[in-house]
Amino acid sequence: MSTLNFPEGRPIDLACLGRLAVDLYSQQFGSRLEDARSMAMYLGGSSANQAFGVARLGLKSAMISRVGNEHMGRFLTETLEKEGCDTSQVQIDHERLTALVLLGLKDRDTFPLLFMRENCADMALDAAAIREDFIAQCRALAITGTHLSTPGTRAASAAALAHAKKHGVVRVLDIDYRPVLWGLTPRGAGENRYVADAHVTQQLQEMLPEFDLLVGTEEEFFIAGGVPDDLIASLRAVRKVSNATLVVKRGALGCCVIAGVIPFHIDVAPTFKGERVEVLNVLGAGDAFLSGLLASLLQGKDWAQSTQVANACGAIVVSRHACSAAMPTQAELAHWFSGSRNPKVDADAQLAHLHRVSVKRTQWDEMCVMAYDHRSQFKDMAKEVGANELLIPYLKKLLVLATEKAEKECQLQGHMGVLIDGGSLGLDALATATGRGWWVGRPVELPGSRPLRFDETQSIGSALIHWPTEHVAKCLVHYHPDDATDLRLEQEATVLELWEATRESGNELLLEIILPKDLVKAGEEDSAVLRAIERFYNLGIKPEWWKLAPMQESGWAELQKMLDARDPYCRGAVILGLNKPLQYLAESFADATNPVVKGFMVGRTLWADASKRWLKSELNDQGFVDEVAANYATLVQAWRGRKSAATRDSIKKAA
């Protein structure tokens, strides 16, 4: 057990008070910040990173800070909330903007860092709005040293600390010394981590008695103790004003925990070994360390166990881009300590996969998807009835309205999805469907291509750069495991290219397998599809979704076994329509009771006939929307009643 006495039975494990900002990281490694071409946006700020990291490790955290009443402020609060962090105490500033930080990765020792914090929102934290009743619900309170640097934030910190002391909350200081934020360096020298300054030392030492745990690097204890380049003397100076447990972070060497008398040499102090890994980016490593340390201590682990987790968290984050987004999950830590990890962190495929799939994601336990990503089929339809192709984009927007109508009438909120193409035919419809809480899929394949080719691009990675993250890359591949060797290898290489591109872009992948008719043998369809899926797993491809033709119950059961063994984090499978009649699909749903089948993705069955009549002006806009929505509702009824014979009979009569 640790020497800290965390109260039990409270709803918030850790509240973090301090910096909450947007980090804009250069995506060009090895580049000066002046030469950056593009930036990636993440949640940042030391306190925010810690709140995020502790939540990611399964504890309940809360953020006490302030953001602007604008897009960046909403980005930060939404990011914290998605990770499970309480943001009820994040104040909204109607005058100031949310803080920004620009960061670059020039080399292992050079990290250009530019704080855009002039009169920013989080440094205007209002002490009067710090609620005692909320602090009383917390087990621990962590404060960043930056918020001791100005009278306003110092007052807010003091108010929170007073409430915490009154209610027995364990109080933690992350010294987090950034000289630029104390006004000690030029504004462009944000990466400078140490400047000796007596005034800063005085300001810190006035507050040190209020804390139970002090955490910092050797340089941060230099500033806290006021004795440059003499760690032991600085620690003794800190001990004169504070009885807190001291945790000294020493990078790859690990850390020291000093609960009592300061030893004559730091190496004599209780030391917990660190992890040696190849460094990509040291920024955020300390926040990851403290997240792992506090999460473990709050779970009742002792110092040896807690520092082991803390050091692992720091090691993982230094090997990755960004701070908060790089924080590990519990599943990643389990793999890290399993004894089977790759010593080269960035080469550990399983660790990278777990980092992607074991984070909190929107759950889709039931998927009812209307597909109108078709391109050649719509063009053929227009040609068949003599209609102008320019009508197709408008027709697809009507299909969005039909989807919206069905969502309301069938109460499908949280279960609704669409497949829409992003080219000239579907771009307007896709934009209308994006950002409203639907599952949104988007095709990448050139229609009908075999071997597989990408549509409108020779470089799928370049194309995905411009996609919203919520768009799922859907790829239909006409594939059979018994294809001619050259054809099979070519198609597999193209799917691998897509797989790697989605891992980099952050988009999920849905792989749709359709067996070529000339290779399909009656009664062997299910086994051929399962062999194809196994082949892709053997190649290391682990899509989030599989889209498959209806299978027998035994086929779905075999798929479940395969996913359990090869990728337990796979979201599951959905049934494709292939323009089959409603009756056929309704009956096929009866075999899809295995939990691995999450729903359906059906297109022409729902809208083909109505579309032809609309294109011929035999059906007006509202009539088209109503008819498609009614067909969709019929299919939803079939899906939800697939276990009931009576329901299937009613669907058969309706069809």
Side-chain angles (χ1 to χ4, degrees):
M1 298 293 289
S2 76
T3 54
L4 303 173
N5 185 22
F6 296 101
E8 299 295 336
R10 296 185 180 181
I12 303 295
D13 291 302
L14 174 70
C16 296
L17 185 155
R19 288 191 286 124
L20 175 57
V22 174
D23 281 354
L24 296 173
Y25 267 85
S26 168
Q27 293 183 297
Q28 287 71 53
F29 300 164
S31 169
R32 300 187 311 157
L33 193 54
E34 294 90 330
D35 298 324
R37 296 194 313 274
S38 58
M39 315 291 283
M41 184 167 72
Y42 305 106
L43 174 137
S46 57
S47 294
N49 289 337
Q50 292 159 24
F52 183 96
V54 167
R56 177 159 283 186
L57 290 175
L59 282 78
K60 186 62 178 179
S61 66
M63 190 71 210
I64 304 175
S65 192
R66 192 175 178 93
V67 295
N69 184 33
E70 22 78 352
H71 313 77
M72 295 296 95
R74 290 190 292 274
F75 162 72
L76 294 173
T77 54
E78 290 174 10
T79 300
L80 286 168
E81 289 162 4
K82 288 176 183 176
E83 204 61 36
C85 179
D86 184 305
T87 62
S88 64
Q89 305 307 299
V90 176
Q91 303 168 13
I92 306 300
D93 195 314
H94 295 273
E95 298 178 1
R96 298 169 183 83
L97 293 174
T98 302
L100 302 177
V101 185
L102 304 180
L103 310 101
L105 305 178
K106 179 66 175 68
D107 54 50
R108 294 177 185 172
D109 302 310
T110 310
F111 303 93
L113 182 59
L114 191 61
F115 289 96
M116 312 290 286
R117 299 180 56 83
E118 188 71 27
N119 195 30
C120 66
D122 70 23
M123 293 302 286
L125 186 62
D126 183 3
I130 304 294
R131 286 174 41 195
E132 179 180 348
D133 62 335
F134 185 85
I135 300 292
Q137 299 178 60
C138 302
R139 301 177 64 205
L141 169 69
I143 290 180
T144 175
T146 301
H147 270 52
L148 304 179
S149 65
T150 67
T153 54
R154 191 179 182 88
S157 300
L161 287 167
H163 298 324
K165 183 176 182 179
K166 179 179 178 180
H167 294 281
V169 178
V170 173
R171 297 155 296 163
V172 181
L173 175 65
D174 176 15
I175 300 173
D176 185 40
Y177 182 43
R178 304 298 178 96
V180 68
L181 300 181
W182 288 81
L184 300 178
T185 68
R187 293 182 180 180
E191 68 270 28
N192 189 326
R193 294 302 183 97
Y194 181 71
V195 173
D197 186 88
H199 175 71
V200 174
T201 298
Q202 177 190 354
Q203 292 290 295
L204 289 174
Q205 289 192 359
E206 287 178 0
M207 298 295 292
L208 293 184
E210 301 302 319
F211 294 95
D212 305 298
L213 175 64
L214 305 179
V215 182
T217 62
E218 293 185 14
E219 291 81 6
E220 286 170 338
F221 275 105
F222 289 160
I223 194 67
V227 188
D229 301 321
D230 190 333
L231 180 59
I232 293 300
S234 290
L235 292 174
R236 287 174 176 166
V238 168
R239 178 59 77 222
K240 286 182 179 179
V241 297
S242 171
N243 293 320
T245 299
L246 312 180
V247 176
V248 184
K249 297 182 291 184
R250 305 185 69 197
L253 295 176
C255 64
C256 299
V257 178
I258 306 172
V261 176
I262 305 301
F264 67 88
H265 193 280
I266 191 62
D267 291 337
V268 178
T271 300
F272 300 93
K273 187 178 179 181
E275 301 273 2
R276 292 189 176 275
V277 296
E278 187 170 338
V279 175
L280 171 65
N281 170 26
V282 298
L283 301 172
D287 300 334
F289 173 93
L290 189 51
S291 296
L293 181 73
L294 292 178
S296 300
L297 292 173
L298 285 159
Q299 290 169 331
K301 296 178 181 177
D302 60 24
W303 284 109
Q305 296 167 317
S306 298
T307 53
Q308 183 185 40
V309 171
N311 287 323
C313 289
I316 290 171
V317 168
V318 298
S319 68
R320 292 173 173 164
H321 201 235
C323 300
S324 61
M327 297 285 184
T329 63
Q330 296 178 77
E332 290 177 82
L333 289 175
H335 174 70
W336 184 270
F337 294 121
S338 68
S340 61
R341 70 176 178 89
N342 191 322
K344 190 174 175 60
V345 181
D346 61 354
D348 192 324
Q350 178 63 6
L351 186 68
H353 180 62
L354 289 172
H355 184 62
R356 180 184 174 92
V357 300
S358 64
V359 299
K360 291 183 178 178
R361 303 180 289 179
T362 301
Q363 294 301 305
W364 296 102
D365 296 326
E366 180 184 58
M367 292 281 291
C368 298
V369 179
M370 189 187 299
Y372 33 104
D373 59 322
H374 310 66
R375 288 139 285 168
S376 58
Q377 293 92 334
F378 273 103
K379 290 181 179 180
D380 291 345
M381 192 184 303
K383 185 177 180 179
E384 178 186 340
V385 301
N388 193 324
E389 286 186 7
L390 295 177
L391 292 171
I392 296 174
Y394 182 78
L395 178 60
K396 291 202 172 194
K397 291 191 73 174
L398 290 180
L399 285 168
V400 175
L401 294 178
T403 308
E404 187 178 62
K405 178 179 173 67
E407 179 186 35
K408 294 177 181 177
E409 294 180 348
C410 299
Q411 298 182 338
L412 284 169
Q413 292 78 12
H415 307 284
M416 172 62 72
V418 290
L419 275 174
I420 310 175
D421 57 294
S424 59
L425 298 182
L427 186 59
D428 289 343
L430 182 64
T432 303
T434 299
R436 60 199 302 169
W438 293 352
W439 185 96
V440 179
R442 181 173 171 179
V444 297
E445 78 280 352
L446 179 67
S449 60
R450 178 169 154 85
L452 174 66
R453 294 288 183 267
F454 298 123
D455 195 16
E456 299 185 345
T457 183
Q458 296 296 314
S459 171
I460 190 62
S462 299
L464 291 179
I465 291 173
H466 305 291
W467 283 30
T469 306
E470 72 176 274
H471 288 182
V472 177
K474 166 257 178 182
C475 182
L476 187 164
V477 55
H478 297 276
Y479 177 94
H480 195 290
D482 297 332
D483 278 332
T485 301
D486 289 347
L487 173 61
R488 179 174 57 79
L489 293 177
E490 182 176 353
Q491 296 218 109
E492 290 170 354
T494 305
V495 175
L496 272 168
E497 179 185 348
L498 173 61
W499 159 253
E500 292 185 3
T502 56
R503 300 313 91 177
E504 183 65 27
S505 70
N507 298 92
E508 292 192 354
L509 174 62
L510 179 148
L511 198 55
E512 176 178 359
I513 297 177
I514 294 183
L515 300 173
K517 292 181 180 179
D518 59 334
L519 291 178
V520 175
K521 297 179 181 179
E524 297 182 8
E525 297 90 345
D526 291 3
S527 62
V529 167
L530 291 167
R531 286 168 52 212
I533 293 172
E534 185 171 28
R535 172 62 182 168
F536 284 114
Y537 278 129
N538 289 342
L539 292 169
I541 297 170
K542 298 179 180 180
E544 282 76 12
W545 299 96
W546 294 99
K547 184 181 179 187
L548 308 171
M551 291 199 291
Q552 301 295 317
E553 287 187 25
S554 58
W556 294 124
E558 286 301 313
L559 177 63
Q560 179 72 74
K561 290 180 183 178
M562 190 183 302
L563 298 189
D564 288 344
R566 306 302 295 267
D567 183 18
Y569 288 95
C570 177
R571 289 183 176 272
V574 289
I575 297 174
L576 56 86
L578 282 178
N579 202 23
K580 297 293 186 181
L582 277 173
Q583 177 180 336
Y584 172 88
L585 291 176
E587 292 174 353
S588 72
F589 288 169
D591 290 326
T593 57
N594 192 296
V596 75
V597 189
K598 303 302 181 184
F600 61 84
M601 293 185 183
V602 175
R604 286 171 290 172
T605 301
L606 304 176
W607 47 255
D609 182 65
S611 294
K612 288 181 181 179
R613 287 187 284 121
W614 182 87
L615 287 167
K616 292 190 293 183
S617 299
E618 295 175 0
L619 194 63
N620 64 21
D621 291 0
Q622 190 59 53
F624 174 81
V625 169
D626 292 344
E627 183 171 326
V628 173
N631 289 339
Y632 187 83
T634 299
L635 202 58
V636 171
Q637 182 185 358
W639 171 255
R640 290 183 167 174
R642 63 193 183 280
K643 299 179 182 180
S644 166
T647 301
R648 292 198 300 275
D649 289 341
S650 67
I651 298 299
K652 187 180 296 185
K653 291 178 182 178

